Amino acid sequence: MISRRSLMTLAAAAVTAPLAPRRLWAGNTLTLGGMQIDTLSDGFLTLPGSFLLDGAPPEATDILTRYGISTDQMTPPCNVTLLRDADRVVLFDVGAGHDFMPSAGKLAEAFDTLGITPEDITHVLFTHGHPDHLWGLLDEFDDPIFPNAEFVMGQAEFDYWTDPETVNTIGAARTTFAVGAARRLGVIADQIRLIADGDEVLPGIAAHLTPGHTPGHIAYELRAGSEGVLIAGDAIGNHHIAFERPDWHSGSDQDAETAAATRLRLLDRLASEQMPLIGFHLPGGGIGRAERADGTYRFVES
C-alpha cells in the first residue's frame, strides 16, 4: 500500500469563513491492490461549536484549545472518497450540493481537477443521509447528477429517512435534514440497492453497520488480500475529541450513547490492526491511522 499527499491545493475563500482551512482539491491518495483511492474536497462546513460540544463534558473545550480550534465556530473539512478499479468508478457519498451552505458543495471543482465527470461514476455508496453526504445527489432541477450510477444505501438508513414520521421526531434543529433527505431519496427510490450489515456490496467492498451518528450509518471496508482500508464516514467525526475521548457524547450524533459505543469499537479495531481509515471530516484529506496513546487514541495523518 502506497500513500502520498496530493499537491493540488488552493487557499480557502476567506469571505466564507475567516478561519477557513486550506482548500484541498484532491486531498490524499493511496493504492490498495489494484484500487486507486482518492479523497476529494467538497469544501468545508461552517458550524457553531455547540453542534459538537452539546452533551460533552466542559473539559471538551480544553481539548479543542490544545488543537487550536475555536469553540465558537468550527470549519471541518469534507472529504469525499473516489475509488477507481478496472471498469468501476465508485463514489462514497456525494457531498453537500448547491443548497446546503456556501462553504461546501465544491465536488465538481475537484472532479475537474482529476478529469472526472459525473457520467464516469458507476456506483455511489452512501454512508448516511445527512446533508453534507447526500444533498449533492441532485442538481438545481432535481435531476440526479450521476446518471449512470447504481446507488447503494443501508436498508435501516433508507427506511429512517423515508419514514414520514422522521420529520416529527428528529428534533427542530434537524427538521430540514429530514425533509431534504426524503425528497432526494424519493427521486432515486426505484434505482437504489439496499444493503445490510456484513453484505459484500461490490467485490472487495463490505458494509459494516456503524450506528449512532444516524440510525443506519454504514462504514465500508475495502479489502485486497490481507490489506484493508475503512471508509468510516462520520462514525469517527473529528480528529480531536472523538479520538481522545471516544466515550464522550457529541452533539453531532443523533443517538449519542450508541455513537460512543460505535467509536470505541472501531478505534479499538483500527488501532489493533493498524488499518488505515478515511474519515469524512478528518484533516489532511482524511486518510490516516488510529494509534493508542496514554490510554486513549490519536489520529496520525498519512
Side-chain angles (χ1 to χ4, degrees):
M1 186 181 299
I2 302 171
S3 178
R4 63 175 173 80
R5 182 82 56 200
S6 173
L7 298 178
M8 294 184 287
T9 63
L10 287 178
V15 295
T16 305
L19 299 178
R22 281 181 60 80
R23 185 81 160 76
L24 295 167
W25 296 96
N28 213 337
T29 186
L30 60 81
T31 57
L32 180 69
M35 295 181 261
Q36 179 174 328
I37 304 161
D38 295 285
T39 56
L40 310 180
S41 175
D42 191 51
F44 58 92
L45 303 182
T46 305
L47 302 170
S50 59
F51 190 76
L52 177 65
L53 295 172
D54 280 358
E59 295 83 359
T61 60
D62 297 333
I63 295 177
L64 293 178
T65 298
R66 281 196 282 104
Y67 280 83
I69 296 172
S70 168
T71 58
D72 297 322
Q73 178 177 284
M74 299 177 180
T75 56
C78 298
N79 307 301
V80 174
T81 301
L82 178 76
L83 181 154
R84 287 175 283 183
D85 178 22
D87 59 351
R88 62 185 183 179
V89 183
V90 184
L91 200 62
F92 295 84
D93 295 327
V94 294
H98 61 92
D99 58 353
F100 181 48
M101 60 176 60
S103 58
K106 313 299 184 185
L107 186 60
E109 299 168 21
F111 270 23
D112 288 344
T113 302
L114 292 186
I116 299 289
T117 70
E119 290 76 16
D120 294 330
I121 304 301
T122 60
H123 303 81
V124 173
L125 277 53
F126 293 106
T127 61
H128 64 295
H130 277 169
D132 49 328
H133 299 254
L134 175 66
W135 283 20
L137 177 66
L138 305 180
D139 64 18
E140 294 89 338
F141 304 99
D142 278 359
D143 292 323
I145 289 176
F146 306 98
N148 301 320
E150 178 187 29
F151 301 107
V152 178
M153 179 178 269
Q155 177 82 60
E157 188 73 1
F158 180 85
D159 290 348
Y160 176 75
W161 292 110
T162 56
D163 183 345
E165 281 302 305
T166 295
V167 71
N168 300 318
T169 58
I170 197 172
R174 289 185 166 96
T175 298
T176 57
F177 291 16
V179 173
R183 180 166 67 83
R184 287 163 176 82
L185 292 174
V187 172
I188 62 166
D190 295 334
Q191 304 166 253
I192 195 165
R193 174 160 57 103
L194 302 177
I195 57 172
D197 184 32
D199 284 354
E200 184 178 42
V201 181
L202 294 168
I205 304 176
H208 293 296
L209 182 63
T210 46
H213 184 68
T214 59
H217 187 287
I218 292 283
Y220 295 94
E221 183 176 343
L222 314 182
R223 276 280 161 192
S226 62
E227 296 184 327
V229 174
L230 185 73
I231 299 176
D234 282 2
I236 304 173
N238 60 70
H239 66 294
H240 34 77
I241 296 173
F243 280 79
E244 289 201 20
R245 292 306 306 258
D247 56 320
W248 284 355
H249 289 185
S250 169
S252 66
D253 297 322
Q254 292 185 213
D255 181 340
E257 186 171 349
T258 300
T262 293
R263 275 192 298 276
L264 285 162
R265 173 172 56 85
L266 287 178
L267 286 168
D268 178 68
R269 183 189 175 197
L270 290 165
S272 296
E273 298 181 11
Q274 279 299 285
M275 181 191 299
L277 78 150
I278 303 175
F280 196 85
H281 297 300
L282 298 182
I287 301 177
R289 296 176 187 266
E291 292 187 351
R292 289 190 171 87
D294 300 324
T296 183
Y297 302 93
R298 65 183 176 191
F299 177 64
V300 180
E301 293 183 31
S302 293

